[in-house]
Amino acid sequence: MKCSYCNMQAIAWEPAVRRQYCNNHYAWFIERKVEKTIEKYKLLQGVRKLVIAVSGGKDSVALLRILHKLYDGKIKLLGVTIDLGIDQYSREASMIALKHYKELSIDYICVDLKEEYGFTISYIKMNKRVLRLHRSICSLCGTVKRYVLNKIASEENADAIATGHNMNDLLYQIIASMISGSREDLGKALLKTPSRNGLVSRIKPLAFLSDKQTLLYNMAINSAFFWKSCPYAEQGTLKRDVLDALDSIEHKHPGFKESLLVNFLKLVESTKQATTGIVYKCKRCGMPTNKPDICAFCKLRETLLERIKT
Ligand code: SF4
Ligand code: ZN
Ligand code: ZN
């Protein structure tokens, strides 16, 4: 199988555009796709300094590599990696993120949750029942990651935070928001949320890439990524079932997922309802929160530290 653009051997077939690509042309195709997303949705408008959240997994590594290729020298890039304290998993993933920062000579900050805040995600997982924390471990971990990233971005005067959420993540958020009826969930499906009251703008440049595309991109540019799954990743969840169903429709109707996302975004844009939630200041740490008293992170941390002391 030859590349549709040159004589090299093809490594990927893209059914939506009916083309096959060699390594070089595949990297070009993906980078163009991300650039078009950034331009169409004005993701980097007014951004002079950008925090890039890098866990070391395939999506965040692809995000770092693509943004570096497209914007190095035009925008100040700052990589941020959080060691969540999930034993070996966190250490190995963080090492890969560091390797990329060094290779690309990008400034970076690594936060060790245990050193900085006195607890780890493993600790939460082990003590969830005793602590009467009823949310899933991934939801609690999400609160922690969002908080830490926002704090660093604020302190560093960054204009936005880029995360490696891909098309599957966004489509699931859309469906999750319909199930929960929550405005906060709906906001998580947007490609860009505005900065307001201490909450730094968040952007998702990989919104139109599938899992397979970020994987193939890393392979095409020969970029190392951490491929093991988190030991706490929830199996057999509603999320998995929803994504499997969407994938099976996509298989029969190439382009279905992309048009679902595009049309959803048009709908939200026309109603603007997802971006108007009130943002309060946490009475403990002063960081932005959707709760009128103390933020979800401070509440979680207080519960954890109380337990650790006893
Ligand atoms: Fe955190 Fe869940 Fe991701 Fe593991 S799978 S890093 S617990 S969000
Ligand atoms: Zn080619
Ligand atoms: Zn707080």
Side-chain angles (χ1 to χ4, degrees), residues 3-8 21-25:
C3 171
S4 304
Y5 295 88
C6 71
N7 271 331
M8 300 297 284
Y21 297 87
C22 67
N23 282 329
N24 284 344
H25 282 110

Side-chain angles (χ1 to χ4, degrees), residues 66-188:
I66 295 170
L67 292 179
H68 178 263
K69 176 125 188 224
L70 297 174
Y71 300 102
D72 183 42
K74 299 177 196 154
I75 291 176
K76 175 90 192 97
L77 304 175
L78 175 68
V80 175
T81 297
I82 309 170
D83 185 328
L84 298 166
I86 308 177
D87 307 325
Q88 197 62 8
Y89 168 82
S90 290
R91 272 194 296 277
E92 287 178 27
S94 303
M95 292 301 289
I96 297 212
L98 285 189
K99 177 180 149 358
H100 286 282
Y101 296 144
K102 286 180 184 154
E103 264 177 38
L104 299 172
S105 303
I106 285 185
D107 288 343
Y108 65 90
I109 294 177
C110 269
V111 182
D112 185 312
L113 208 54
K114 174 88 178 134
E115 266 174 30
E116 201 75 30
Y117 296 100
F119 66 90
T120 62
I121 298 299
S122 283
Y123 182 82
I124 302 181
K125 171 75 179 168
M126 303 309 164
N127 295 281
K128 222 163 80 65
R129 237 184 239 157
V130 194
L131 295 165
R132 295 177 204 274
L133 296 168
H134 301 301
R135 284 155 60 200
S136 74
I137 185 66
C138 289
S139 160
L140 294 162
C141 182
T143 297
V144 171
K145 287 191 282 195
R146 275 192 299 279
Y147 180 92
V148 175
L149 277 174
N150 194 72
K151 187 159 185 293
I152 293 176
S154 270
E155 289 167 356
E156 293 292 322
N157 290 319
D159 303 298
I161 302 168
T163 59
H165 292 92
N166 65 30
M167 186 147 65
N168 273 356
D169 298 321
L170 269 74
L171 288 173
Y172 180 70
Q173 273 309 326
I174 294 171
I175 292 172
S177 70
M178 287 174 191
I179 298 168
S180 66
S182 146
R183 179 177 284 188
E184 204 188 325
D185 281 345
L186 184 60
K188 286 184 199 156

Side-chain angles (χ1 to χ4, degrees), residues 147 282 285 295 298:
Y147 180 92
C282 169
C285 70
C295 75
C298 284

Side-chain angles (χ1 to χ4, degrees), residues 147 281-289 293-299 302:
Y147 180 92
K281 286 253 183 237
C282 169
K283 290 189 177 138
R284 292 272 190 286
C285 70
M287 294 292 282
T289 171
D293 43 14
I294 74 166
C295 75
F297 179 88
C298 284
K299 206 170 244 172
E302 279 181 12

